[in-house]
Amino acid sequence: VFYADSEFGSSIQVNPDGTAELVRAQQSNYGFELMTSAQVRDDLSISFSAAYNDGENDPDDDGNYDALPSLQVLPLSLNLGATWDYSDKLRLSGNVYYLDSRDRAFDDGVDTYELDGYVTVDVGLEYKLGAGALSAQITNLFDEFYLPAESQSRTGITSDLRTAGQGRALSITYSTTF
């Protein structure tokens, strides 16, 4: 858990035309981070992490605080992972990532966009083969279309630079140690 207060904090404001400027003002930041993992059984482990960050500043020093930009304080994110050693040779894994939406900075007129959240799921398997291991990984299993937070911030003259997050992708590798 954290809380920070600064008389001369800094944040970046993205203007409607896509340009950005540095804003120095009274600022507070707060939030939490949590990470945990457990060996549920000899063959099964799980992990979980959560992070939340928020804050505000008073750029015109009038006592009315505005939300910090969404690129500076990302919304709630959750990550859940699991690894299962099915046998001595086969290991299966999965991961779910969630990023919440955030409209607080848009509502305050700080951001020119509302940050849309998304969920991605990754799965993988590893099979011990000879002196190494053959692995297959599918990222974004359900081919979720999303724009990463940084890309969503591109508005105005930079909106044509928005790029989507990676779609479903399969990677196959063989690795060995020597």
Side-chain angles (χ1 to χ4, degrees), residues 30-53:
Y30 45 88
F32 69 87
E33 293 182 8
L34 168 73
M35 294 173 44
T36 187
S37 61
Q39 191 73 36
V40 179
R41 300 185 324 216
D42 288 343
D43 61 346
L44 179 65
S45 64
I46 59 171
S47 62
F48 175 76
S49 64
Y52 175 77
N53 186 6

Side-chain angles (χ1 to χ4, degrees), residues 9 12 14-15 23 29 38 48 53 68 88 94 104 113 115-116 125 133 142 150-151 156 170:
I12 300 294
V14 179
N15 299 315
V23 175
N29 294 76
F48 175 76
N53 186 6
L68 289 176
D88 290 344
R104 184 171 176 231
Y113 61 97
L115 185 66
D116 294 326
L125 67 87
F142 301 112
E150 191 277 330
S151 188
L170 169 67

Side-chain angles (χ1 to χ4, degrees), residues 7-170:
E7 291 183 21
F8 202 53
S10 62
S11 64
I12 300 294
Q13 170 141 0
V14 179
N15 299 315
D17 65 359
T19 61
E21 64 183 86
L22 179 65
V23 175
R24 302 298 301 246
Q26 175 77 29
Q27 178 176 312
S28 62
N29 294 76
Y30 45 88
F32 69 87
E33 293 182 8
L34 168 73
M35 294 173 44
T36 187
S37 61
Q39 191 73 36
V40 179
R41 300 185 324 216
D42 288 343
D43 61 346
L44 179 65
S45 64
I46 59 171
S47 62
F48 175 76
S49 64
Y52 175 77
N53 186 6
D54 209 343
E56 50 270 326
N57 66 5
D58 184 10
D60 51 10
D61 199 26
D62 65 355
N64 294 319
Y65 284 74
D66 295 327
L68 289 176
S70 296
L71 279 181
Q72 187 169 346
V73 290
L74 287 175
L76 176 69
S77 65
L78 306 172
N79 197 51
L80 177 64
T83 302
W84 179 35
D85 292 325
Y86 179 76
S87 68
D88 290 344
K89 292 190 173 235
L90 181 63
R91 171 178 282 175
L92 304 170
S93 62
N95 190 71
V96 178
Y97 176 75
Y98 167 81
L99 181 70
D100 199 10
S101 298
R102 183 173 192 259
D103 59 5
R104 184 171 176 231
F106 177 79
D107 291 346
D108 284 357
V110 175
D111 286 345
T112 57
Y113 61 97
E114 294 180 81
L115 185 66
D116 294 326
Y118 54 88
V119 176
T120 59
V121 177
D122 304 331
V123 294
L125 67 87
E126 177 182 273
Y127 186 77
K128 292 181 182 174
L129 185 64
L134 181 64
S135 300
Q137 173 94 18
I138 300 175
T139 55
N140 197 358
L141 177 66
F142 301 112
D143 202 23
E144 172 75 17
F145 178 83
Y146 67 96
L147 295 173
E150 191 277 330
S151 188
Q152 290 183 47
S153 72
R154 296 176 183 166
T155 61
I157 62 172
T158 62
S159 63
D160 60 339
L161 299 175
R162 288 179 153 207
T163 54
Q166 182 176 15
R168 182 184 307 120
L170 169 67

